[in-house]
Amino acid sequence: MTTHADAIATIVMYHVVRNAAGVPAALKGLDADVFRGQLAYIRAHYTPVGLFDLVAASTGSQPLPPRAIVLTFDDGYAGHHDVVLPLLADAHVPAAFFPVASASLDRAVLDINKVQFILAASGDVGRLVEIVDATIERHRPRLPAP
């Protein structure tokens, strides 16, 4: 009998998956064709399971198959619906999605996306880091001690 101690799975977390056409190279993300290849690799070497399967296995009520893997997608980007879902459906791979409610409810851009846009627009990340470091040093006397 499988116990919860035997419930071992690999969990892979994704963020941005998209069709790269027309997207500036400086904006980071996984190209849909690369993701399609990863799904083929996963299907060949792992057994994809859903979160409910993982929970059931952790309580001992259901064993996990060998080499179980759970795919998760964070932040709720449009590409998860437009790109990822059709690819998952074609590959018969379950997944869990964790959208950030505030992005939709408050129509707010996530802080991580603000940082990504700044980095992509800067063209010179090293210079941007120098500016941030200099600004911190300039204001250090007024900053509270750590």
Side-chain angles (χ1 to χ4, degrees):
M1 176 172 170
T2 302
T3 65
H4 66 278
D6 298 319
I8 296 174
T10 298
I11 299 176
V12 179
M13 177 180 62
Y14 289 91
H15 284 277
V16 179
V17 179
R18 61 169 181 245
N19 291 317
V23 177
L27 288 175
K28 302 298 181 206
L30 184 64
D31 181 70
D33 288 333
V34 174
F35 179 64
R36 184 179 291 107
Q38 289 180 3
L39 286 176
Y41 181 88
I42 286 167
R43 293 289 299 159
H45 296 92
Y46 293 89
T47 306
V49 298
L51 277 184
F52 291 120
D53 299 318
L54 189 60
V55 170
S58 72
T59 64
S61 63
Q62 171 184 314
L64 277 177
R67 298 185 56 84
I69 189 169
V70 176
L71 302 186
T72 70
F73 296 83
D74 286 359
D75 301 331
Y77 296 117
H80 294 167
H81 177 269
D82 300 340
V83 176
V84 172
L85 275 176
L87 294 174
L88 291 171
D90 287 347
H92 304 288
V93 174
F97 293 84
F98 299 100
V100 177
S102 65
S104 296
L105 297 175
D106 301 336
R107 301 186 60 77
V109 176
L110 300 176
D111 288 344
I112 185 62
N113 297 126
K114 292 175 187 176
V115 170
Q116 290 170 335
F117 291 140
I118 290 168
L119 291 173
S122 75
D124 184 355
V125 175
R127 178 69 184 128
L128 183 61
V129 169
E130 289 173 9
I131 292 168
V132 170
D133 286 345
T135 303
I136 291 170
E137 286 306 314
R138 196 169 54 253
H139 294 282
R140 188 176 302 280
R142 295 186 300 266
L143 295 174

